[in-house]
Amino acid sequence: MTFVRSLPPRDTMLAGIDAAARLPEHDRPGAVAAAIQAFAADPALLEGLDCPCCPDRYVRHLLHSDPAGGYAVVALVWRPGQMSPVHAHRTWCAFAVHHGALTETYYSQDEGDLPVPAATKLLMRGEGSHGPADPALIHRLANLSCRTAISIHCYGVAFDRFGQDVNEIHAA
């Protein structure tokens, strides 16, 4: 997929995400990830937006919500030491690091149904990950660095449904 850079980077990225989100469901996560990763490292991506952090937890800032409710794009701001819960996704998702670095840890489930770390990947600026809705794909994102990180995420549900339709929590 080729992305034209005639618009500001955020608008071009969102147009690419919109086109990718209309593909058949099995192709969406990878295509949306490609659209995000094509612009994630651009320093001007969030230009003009106020994306403050929170001392207690990572914060989501809405960048775009599909009018039809099929997906939403958010910027997550992570202070050092902040992390997501251990979770799987109830919907497809894709993300990339815009600023800083994040560590993604993948988990398997032991015989007692508890998540056990299985692999870790350091994601630098412009790098990301994606996946379908799959209760077996369990992971955690964490900012283990000494500076604030920002990542761009797209989930296959409307923003107002994030609380109940995105994460299936396995451990805090």
Side-chain angles (χ1 to χ4, degrees):
M1 188 176 273
T2 303
F3 302 98
V4 179
R5 291 188 180 255
S6 59
L7 297 171
R10 186 171 56 252
D11 293 342
T12 307
M13 179 190 72
L14 293 173
I17 291 170
D18 188 64
R22 310 269 178 242
L23 294 173
E25 189 161 347
H26 68 278
D27 295 329
R28 279 182 212 156
V32 170
I36 295 170
Q37 289 175 12
F39 296 92
D42 190 325
L45 183 64
L46 299 179
E47 199 168 82
L49 293 180
D50 184 26
C51 293
C53 57
C54 174
D56 304 325
R57 59 180 170 73
Y58 68 90
V59 180
R60 291 181 181 129
H61 298 281
L62 181 63
L63 300 179
H64 176 74
S65 187
D66 174 36
Y71 68 92
V73 182
V74 292
L76 273 63
V77 182
W78 312 77
R79 288 177 52 115
Q82 292 180 337
M83 59 187 70
S84 72
V86 176
H87 64 281
H89 290 279
R90 294 184 175 120
T91 182
W92 59 266
C93 64
F95 76 93
V97 176
H98 168 63
H99 177 78
L102 292 175
T103 300
E104 184 174 24
T105 302
Y106 299 95
Y107 293 80
S108 59
Q109 289 187 301
D110 70 8
E111 294 174 15
D113 223 19
L114 296 173
V116 177
T120 300
K121 179 170 62 171
L122 179 63
L123 299 168
M124 303 302 290
R125 195 170 168 189
E127 297 177 327
S129 187
H130 65 277
D134 184 344
L137 291 176
I138 303 168
H139 75 144
R140 165 182 266 168
L141 290 175
N143 180 359
L144 302 180
S145 75
C146 297
R147 56 185 249 200
T148 298
I150 301 173
S151 51
I152 308 300
H153 298 245
C154 183
Y155 300 99
V157 297
F159 184 68
D160 64 352
R161 307 273 316 158
F162 274 25
Q164 63 265 29
D165 290 346
V166 173
N167 290 340
E168 180 177 312
I169 307 297
H170 290 267

